[in-house]
């Protein structure tokens, strides 16, 4: 395999840790090339986008990689070695090194692989041309399948027959849409879209965790709404969870997030749902964590009356009941609804919504000064009366505009107990 283009070498290409790996795994006498950067890091460099994870591919077997890393004194992890991956570790910096592979057997969820030293065969088993790009430390780009042209066009194109690629791993349906959302302005590939539509039911056989991770990555992109609409129109979104449907609110939420806050994938997911029941079904299907499930349900069942029309006393009361995190989520989601109802963004009370969003910082609510121990100290025996008294005094404190300090609250407790 020969390079087809040379680009300016990125700083991660000349990273001393990466250089140590090339010295170790691309030594004199090894095939050329023996080790190359691969996949997303190369794609993002061509797109002039930040690179976080740096992966490598090699002709050496996993066992040979381990032997050479040990000899060089480089720490490594062998989780994933059965699939050909050894992870080199330099402190907190990790580099996944995967032996070139070919698929032996696939079932739509997992693949059995064999190792090879054939770069073209390794490229052919990958999902999209934009992910079958390789590079060396000098910025030489290896492109066996025309991925550079697709990167330039902002196009995500399956390698080979899209139906075959999807039958090998149905998760590629979601990856197709996710990478399309990430790539930018290019038109969606019609052959890939048709294959995703035809095979959408295969998603039903995937684990919720795998689908969740891909979908949240899609939602975190800069322009997810248009791609989400393509997914819905192709019948793909319905196989994630039946309640995921509202593309309009997602689009307006992305707009208001750009004014007030950064992207939040879980909040964006909540924007596509219509209620608490949808949130529960979605959380179960996508196997969300307990904290994700709780937050998603809270956003789906949010207080829709939180809006700029509220007076200050009512705002502060609701902020106290809601809490800072859910307040911000609620304001942005309600703001998105307001934008959708009002039409043009600039006419939808932007400054007022921004002020509402910032209330936890501009007018933070103090913590209630009393605890159950204070009621016990006042002579009330353990039991439900403690909770009742605390709740009553808390309401008195709220009604007073949160002005009473601890001494005043203790005095009120004494009055009620006495």
């Amino acid at each position: 395999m020969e390079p087809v283009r040379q680009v300016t070498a990125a700083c991660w290409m000349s990273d001393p840790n990466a250089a140590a790996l090339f010295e170790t795994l691309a030594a004199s006498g090894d095939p050329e090339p023996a080790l190359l950067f691969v996949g997303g890091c190369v794609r993002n460099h061509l797109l002039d986008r930040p690179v976080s994870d740096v992966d490598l591919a090699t002709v050496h077997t996993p066992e040979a990689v381990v032997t050479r890393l040990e000899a060089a004194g480089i720490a490594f992890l062998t989780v994933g070695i059965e699939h050909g991956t050894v992870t080199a570790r330099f402190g907190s910096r990790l580099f996944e090194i995967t032996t070139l592979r070919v698929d032996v057997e696939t079932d739509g969820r997992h693949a059995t692989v064999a190792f090879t030293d054939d770069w073209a065969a390794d490229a052919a088993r990958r999902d999209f041309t934009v992910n079958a790009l390789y590079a060396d430390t000098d910025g030489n780009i290896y492109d066996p399948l025309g991925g550079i042209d697709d990167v330039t066009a902002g196009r995500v194109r399956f390698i080979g027959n899209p139906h075959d690629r999807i039958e090998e791993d149905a998760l590629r349906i979601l990856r197709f849409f996710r990478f399309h959302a990430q790539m930018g302005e290019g038109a969606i590939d019609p052959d890939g879209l048709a294959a995703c539509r035809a095979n959408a039911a295969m998603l039903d056989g995937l684990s919720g965790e795998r689908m969740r991770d891909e979908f949240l990555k899609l939602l975190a992109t800069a322009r997810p709404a248009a791609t989400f609409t393509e997914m819905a129109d192709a019948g793909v979104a319905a196989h994630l969870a039946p309640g995921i449907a509202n593309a309009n609110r997602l689009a307006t939420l992305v707009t208001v997030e750009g004014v007030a806050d950064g992207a939040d994938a879980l909040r964006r997911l909540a924007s596509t749902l219509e209620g608490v029941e949808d949130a529960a079904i979605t959380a179960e299907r996508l196997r969300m964590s307990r904290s994700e499930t709780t937050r998603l349900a809270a956003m789906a069942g949010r207080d829709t009356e939180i809006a700029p029309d509220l007076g200050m006393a009512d705002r502060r009361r609701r902020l106290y009941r809601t809490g800072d995190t859910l307040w911000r989520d609620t304001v942005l989601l309600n703001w998105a609804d307001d934008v959708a109802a009002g039409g043009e963004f600039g006419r939808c009370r932007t400054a007022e919504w921004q002020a509402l969003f910032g209330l936890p910082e501009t007018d933070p609510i103090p913590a209630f000064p009393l605890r159950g121990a204070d009621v016990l100290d006042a002579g009330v025996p353990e039991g439900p009366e403690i909770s009742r008294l605390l709740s009553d005094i808390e309401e008195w404190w709220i009604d007073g505009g949160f002005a009473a300090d601890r001494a005043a609250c203790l005095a009120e407790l004494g009055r009620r107990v006495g």
Side-chain angles (χ1 to χ4, degrees):
M1 185 170 68
E2 298 294 329
V4 299
R5 181 183 299 183
Q6 186 173 38
V7 298
T8 302
C11 59
W12 53 267
M13 291 178 173
S14 57
D15 178 276
N17 298 326
L21 292 176
F22 273 84
E23 182 178 349
T24 301
L25 298 173
S28 175
D30 284 338
E32 292 186 6
L35 179 72
L36 293 172
F37 300 110
V38 65
C41 58
V42 184
R43 180 191 69 241
N44 284 1
H45 182 51
L46 292 174
L47 289 167
D48 196 25
R49 294 181 181 175
V51 170
S52 53
D53 298 324
V54 176
D55 298 329
L56 301 107
T58 182
V59 299
H60 301 301
T61 66
E63 294 74 18
V65 172
V66 166
T67 298
R68 292 198 182 198
L69 293 178
E70 284 181 331
I74 298 173
F76 59 89
L77 305 171
T78 56
V79 176
I81 193 170
E82 68 274 13
H83 302 296
T85 299
V86 177
T87 303
R89 184 177 65 190
F90 298 86
S92 60
R93 187 80 186 279
L94 302 177
F95 295 84
E96 286 192 357
I97 306 164
T98 302
T99 303
L100 304 184
R101 300 176 294 183
V102 292
D103 290 335
V104 174
E105 182 180 357
T106 60
D107 62 5
R109 293 177 297 173
H110 308 288
T112 301
V113 299
F115 303 129
T116 182
D117 60 0
D118 186 337
W119 289 94
D122 180 79
R125 72 167 295 276
R126 294 178 181 270
D127 48 10
F128 310 112
T129 60
V130 296
N131 291 335
L133 293 165
Y134 306 82
D136 62 22
T137 54
D138 294 324
N140 292 305
I141 306 297
Y142 298 76
D143 179 19
L145 298 171
I148 292 177
D149 289 342
D150 289 329
V151 168
T152 302
R155 176 177 56 231
V156 180
R157 185 166 56 87
F158 281 97
I159 293 170
N161 186 311
H163 295 275
D164 293 342
R165 296 284 82 82
I166 291 171
E167 287 181 2
E168 292 164 357
D169 186 353
L171 190 68
R172 287 172 173 167
I173 294 173
L174 298 185
R175 287 173 61 80
F176 172 77
F177 288 104
R178 194 248 292 185
F179 283 114
H180 175 67
Q182 288 179 335
M183 288 291 291
E185 302 293 341
I188 196 164
D189 178 63
D191 294 335
L193 181 62
C196 290
R197 179 184 293 109
N199 295 284
M202 289 186 66
L203 292 172
D204 296 339
L206 294 181
S207 70
E209 294 92 339
R210 295 184 77 202
M211 294 201 298
R212 176 197 64 217
D213 292 346
E214 280 298 326
F215 190 45
L216 291 181
K217 287 177 182 177
L218 186 159
L219 290 174
T221 61
R223 289 176 294 274
T227 299
F228 176 78
T229 299
E230 298 271 13
M231 287 179 61
D233 291 345
V236 171
H239 290 278
L240 290 169
I244 299 175
N246 196 323
N248 290 334
R249 188 188 293 133
L250 172 60
T252 52
L253 175 62
V254 171
T255 300
V256 300
E257 280 182 336
V259 175
D261 196 24
D264 186 288
L266 196 64
R267 186 194 299 137
R268 290 180 174 185
L269 174 58
S271 75
T272 71
L273 305 173
E274 293 301 332
V276 175
E277 184 177 354
D278 285 345
I281 293 171
T282 300
E284 181 178 3
R285 176 66 184 100
L286 299 184
R287 299 295 301 273
M288 292 187 163
S289 68
R290 181 176 299 178
S291 62
E292 288 172 331
T293 299
T294 299
R295 185 180 170 211
L296 191 66
M299 288 188 285
R302 66 190 179 277
D303 183 352
T304 56
E305 294 183 1
I306 292 177
D309 299 326
L310 291 176
M312 182 54 71
D314 204 3
R315 291 184 184 195
R316 300 183 82 232
R317 177 185 291 272
R318 292 179 192 237
L319 171 59
Y320 178 75
R321 294 300 189 195
T322 301
D324 291 1
T325 299
L326 181 55
W327 175 269
R328 295 186 184 95
D329 288 335
T330 296
V331 169
L332 291 177
L333 289 164
N334 290 353
W335 185 358
D337 283 338
D338 189 43
V339 171
E344 187 178 344
F345 178 74
R347 298 177 182 175
C348 292
R349 304 184 290 177
T350 300
E352 291 90 341
W353 280 108
Q354 284 180 300
L356 199 66
F357 177 82
L359 189 64
E361 285 73 42
T362 60
D363 194 8
I365 302 301
F368 179 50
L370 299 189
R371 297 291 181 269
D374 297 315
V375 184
L376 283 171
D377 291 343
V380 178
E382 290 190 12
E385 182 66 9
I386 290 178
S387 295
R388 188 192 67 79
L389 274 168
L390 272 180
S391 180
D392 288 349
I393 296 171
E394 185 179 28
E395 285 300 319
W396 168 83
W397 176 70
I398 294 171
D399 289 342
F402 310 96
D405 59 11
R406 176 171 169 77
C409 289
L410 286 171
E412 180 65 15
L413 172 63
R415 186 184 68 78
R416 296 186 182 221
V417 171

